Amino acid sequence: PGLPDQAAVLSGRARYPEHVIFLGPGIALPAAGHSDAEAVAAAARAGRKLVLFPGRGAAVPQDASASVRALAGCLVDVAARLPEAPELLRLDAEEEAGLLNWDAEKYRQALDGARP
């Protein structure tokens, strides 16, 4: 397995709370006809910080914090080790929203944004 085989596992709604907290609600795949830069920009507008490019890799915004970059790498590493068709749960929209609007998370985001 590898990123091309795991795009369906990674894309869509988040798998666990840290995913939402650091990468936003789910992971994006580029829309047909979009350049890589357009795909990353569209994902950022949707609050997503990780874009998968099946068969090529993944990208985060240039200004992504070290925390975002670390979790993106972790998620890709985990997905590469999953079986071909894992039965995994995803958080629903309400669960994702609850994590994103949590006061402690807003505080953590402010701290993360203040780091060089």
Side-chain angles (χ1 to χ4, degrees), residues 87-107:
E87 291 186 30
L88 302 173
L89 299 176
R90 294 182 189 268
L91 300 176
D92 63 31
E94 186 176 321
E95 291 167 323
E96 288 181 345
L99 288 165
L100 292 170
N101 294 317
W102 186 30
D103 286 341
E105 171 50 17
K106 290 178 184 179
Y107 177 69

Side-chain angles (χ1 to χ4, degrees), residues 7 48 64 70 98:
R48 294 177 171 182

